[in-house]
Amino acid sequence: MSAIVTAQALMHFLWQGALVGLAAWIALFLLERAKASTRYAVALGALLLMAVLPFATAFRLAGEIPRPAPAAVDAAPAAAPLVKAPETAGGAATVRTFGASLLPWIFNLWLAGVAALSLVHLGGLRRVRHLSRQGRPMEEALQALARDLGRRVGVRRAVALLESAAVSVPATVGWLRPVVLVPVSALTGLTPRQLEAILAHELAHVRRHDYLVNLLQTAVETLLFYHPAVWWVSAQVRRERENCCDDLAVTVCGDRLNYARALVELEGLRAAAPRLALAATGGSLAGRVRRLLAPASRPSRRPWAAGLLALALLPAGAVVQTACSHSTAR
């Protein structure tokens, strides 16, 4: 697939991503009081659609490129001379030509951005693997508690519970061999019931295969980094993911107030965690606590900002689409 076709597909995604982001915003706004699992499915579906659209567009554009037919040209009689059709006059042709000339530059800039973000994420992945290797197995009583919680949450595979001095809040890493890292500060700063609720939250990530989904989500963010609607939808996925795990932890432990207090206590221990690790303090803590204590209400989020941002990209997408069509036809 040529660089020109790839650049065309990326430019088409300006308006495609804006429409998907706008549709996701409307859907989430209408589902404001729905279950977190429903809102998560909507946001994740929108992100997956965003990931598929550029590839589908690129394959469609590649199929539209005209193929020369040498045999037919050689067999044609040299009768009448070709008459060149008059070119379209005016500024529209100039805009199309200028837009087509920018496509190689657009591809190179996109490739540089993807490479830079990939290096950042690879560094984060190495840090996460290093964290899991530094941990020490916890005492048998906590291991038994984790196994019991795992059965109640619905985890059907072994999960390592490790004590780590390199993290400040409990975090889950790994997919095939999941590991829950627990800092010493959590063992001393939380009550046994609060620690149980936080471990239930981390085990909920394991049950839902959130680590794998988070890796795929990071890949989509890397490839489509230039579109703000992608980042907004991805933020909704992460937000609702934490809400889903909160609901599962509360269902297992049965005490919303105790769990909300545990989250507040953890916030006091919080430090920047690797982006590829799933921590119990992820997302908006104030919004999560408010949601736990008053599940019938939702905080004000000003969702209209994302809608206006998505609509603002539609004119740019229309202009680029015209330029891309002109380049494909040449």
Side-chain angles (χ1 to χ4, degrees):
M1 192 174 295
S2 68
I4 297 300
V5 170
T6 302
Q8 290 173 342
L10 294 173
M11 293 299 97
H12 276 293
F13 185 71
L14 280 176
W15 64 269
Q16 293 171 344
L19 288 180
V20 175
L22 182 61
W25 164 61
I26 293 173
L28 292 175
F29 182 77
L30 295 176
L31 295 171
E32 191 173 13
R33 296 180 182 273
K35 294 181 179 180
S37 57
T38 302
R39 294 171 56 82
Y40 176 78
V42 170
L44 185 59
L47 190 65
L48 291 176
L49 180 58
M50 287 178 165
V52 169
L53 280 173
F55 292 97
T57 303
F59 281 115
R60 179 182 62 83
L61 292 174
E64 291 177 355
I65 297 178
R67 298 289 189 270
V73 173
D74 294 340
L82 295 177
V83 180
K84 187 177 180 181
E87 295 186 359
T88 304
T94 304
V95 171
R96 295 192 193 99
T97 304
F98 177 72
S101 66
L102 291 179
L103 291 177
W105 291 94
I106 291 172
F107 175 80
N108 291 331
L109 289 174
W110 170 79
L111 200 61
V114 170
L117 285 176
S118 298
L119 290 176
V120 172
H121 293 315
L122 285 176
L125 190 59
R126 289 186 59 186
R127 183 183 174 195
V128 166
R129 294 183 61 184
H130 183 65
L131 288 177
S132 62
R133 293 174 180 174
Q134 279 186 327
R136 298 176 301 173
M138 302 192 68
E139 60 186 42
E140 181 57 32
L142 289 176
Q143 298 282 357
L145 173 63
R147 288 192 295 268
D148 178 64
L149 284 173
R151 286 191 295 267
R152 290 156 60 188
V153 170
V155 177
R156 302 182 181 276
R157 48 184 169 160
V159 180
L161 187 65
L162 303 180
E163 178 184 330
S164 175
V167 296
S168 58
V169 293
T172 301
V173 298
W175 174 53
L176 294 176
R177 296 178 180 177
V179 175
V180 175
L181 301 173
V182 182
V184 179
S185 56
L187 299 176
T188 58
L190 298 177
T191 66
R193 291 189 62 193
Q194 289 174 343
L195 181 60
E196 178 183 358
I198 295 301
L199 289 179
H201 176 100
E202 297 302 324
L203 291 170
H205 282 304
V206 176
R207 174 192 167 179
R208 291 164 38 84
H209 305 284
D210 284 338
Y211 187 82
L212 176 62
V213 176
N214 191 48
L215 288 177
L216 298 176
Q217 183 178 348
T218 302
V220 175
E221 292 173 345
T222 301
L223 293 175
L224 302 175
F225 67 92
Y226 63 95
H227 206 305
V230 172
W231 292 98
W232 181 82
V233 171
S234 187
Q236 305 313 304
V237 172
R238 289 193 168 89
R239 172 197 184 117
E240 298 303 333
R241 173 191 298 149
E242 296 302 322
N243 289 338
C244 288
C245 292
D246 288 345
D247 291 344
L248 195 52
V250 169
T251 300
V252 170
C253 299
D255 190 342
R256 289 180 177 272
L257 181 59
N258 175 70
Y259 182 64
R261 286 174 175 169
L263 290 179
V264 174
E265 291 292 335
L266 278 181
E267 182 65 14
L269 308 173
R270 184 177 187 175
R275 185 173 180 82
L276 297 179
L278 300 171
T281 53
S284 171
L285 178 71
R288 289 171 61 191
V289 171
R290 188 183 299 112
R291 176 180 173 274
L292 287 168
L293 299 181
S297 63
R298 298 284 186 185
S300 174
R301 294 186 298 271
R302 292 189 177 93
W304 48 266
L308 290 178
L309 184 59
L311 286 175
L313 290 174
L314 290 176
V319 172
V320 173
Q321 181 182 6
T322 302
C324 289
S325 300
H326 175 266
S327 175
T328 304
R330 290 196 307 174

